[in-house]
Amino acid sequence: MSKASLRIESYGTVDELNVYIGLIRDTCGIKQAIPILEEIQNILFSFGAHLAADPDKKGLKLPNLDPSWVNNLEKGIDAMEEELPQLSAFILPGGHQNVSYCHLGRVVCRRAERLVIAMNAETPVNPLIIIYLNRLSDYFFVLSRFVAKSVGANELPWKLTD
């Protein structure tokens, strides 16, 4: 299989995302986020196994995927949003190193989602993987805002240029 195949690009990007999550976990300073970030990393390893598996090989033992994982992300998003001010404008990524790490996780997650969707057009992918990656990028956006609040960083609104 070519190193440029969608399968390898997909699980490679999920692996890259996992590395960024380790960085976020190590630096975010939000103790209550550590367990969910570790859970996310374990889930992404399971996704990697599914994405790497050759669909033509019969009898492969793959990790179970649990739909409740999406609900757990939603609960995490909701819990953080309860403590954040309502957004009234798009915000620019940045303001603090730890906030920027969360945004890096968000954009790598979006790339992984796009690649997995493209792979799904060639060979079926468990839909839970796509749904989870979609919600995970939102989780990192909200986490970036939560980290910004915790470190006292200002959210810089996007200003439309002329």
Side-chain angles (χ1 to χ4, degrees), residues 6 10-11 14 51 111-121 123 125-126 129-130 133:
L6 275 173
S10 294
Y11 71 74
V14 167
L51 294 170
R111 179 164 32 99
E113 179 187 11
R114 291 189 304 270
L115 287 166
V116 171
I117 289 169
M119 180 180 155
N120 187 55
T123 184
V125 171
N126 186 311
I129 296 173
I130 296 169
L133 290 172

Side-chain angles (χ1 to χ4, degrees), residues 61-81:
K61 178 81 171 113
L62 293 172
N64 292 325
L65 303 183
D66 187 342
S68 72
W69 295 340
V70 176
N71 293 333
N72 291 345
L73 276 181
E74 294 288 350
K75 288 177 187 171
I77 291 169
D78 291 345
M80 289 186 291
E81 282 185 330

Side-chain angles (χ1 to χ4, degrees), residues 5-160:
S5 74
L6 275 173
R7 178 175 305 285
I8 291 176
E9 283 289 331
S10 294
Y11 71 74
T13 304
V14 167
D15 186 42
E16 179 185 353
L17 173 59
N18 213 334
V19 171
Y20 276 108
I21 294 169
L23 180 65
I24 294 165
R25 190 191 59 190
D26 292 344
T27 62
C28 75
I30 309 292
K31 287 191 188 291
Q32 66 265 35
I34 303 297
I36 194 165
L37 291 170
E38 289 174 356
E39 177 182 310
I40 291 165
Q41 287 186 291
N42 280 296
I43 290 167
L44 291 181
F45 262 92
S46 295
F47 288 174
H50 279 260
L51 294 170
D54 184 344
D56 296 329
K57 287 193 178 174
K58 301 297 180 216
L60 287 176
K61 178 81 171 113
L62 293 172
N64 292 325
L65 303 183
D66 187 342
S68 72
W69 295 340
V70 176
N71 293 333
N72 291 345
L73 276 181
E74 294 288 350
K75 288 177 187 171
I77 291 169
D78 291 345
M80 289 186 291
E81 282 185 330
E82 285 178 9
E83 298 186 36
L84 295 171
Q86 188 94 12
L87 270 180
S88 58
F90 288 108
I91 57 172
L92 301 178
H96 187 277
Q97 176 178 308
N98 297 353
V99 173
S100 295
Y101 290 152
C102 293
H103 282 289
L104 280 169
R106 176 181 59 81
V107 298
V108 172
C109 188
R110 285 284 189 213
R111 179 164 32 99
E113 179 187 11
R114 291 189 304 270
L115 287 166
V116 171
I117 289 169
M119 180 180 155
N120 187 55
E122 290 183 358
T123 184
V125 171
N126 186 311
L128 179 65
I129 296 173
I130 296 169
I131 294 166
Y132 189 89
L133 290 172
N134 178 270
R135 299 310 301 139
L136 183 58
S137 61
D138 289 343
Y139 174 84
F140 285 119
F141 176 74
V142 176
L143 182 61
S144 74
R145 296 192 65 223
F146 195 80
V147 170
K149 180 181 177 196
S150 76
V151 297
N154 290 327
E155 291 183 322
L156 196 59
W158 169 52
K159 294 178 186 170
L160 187 59

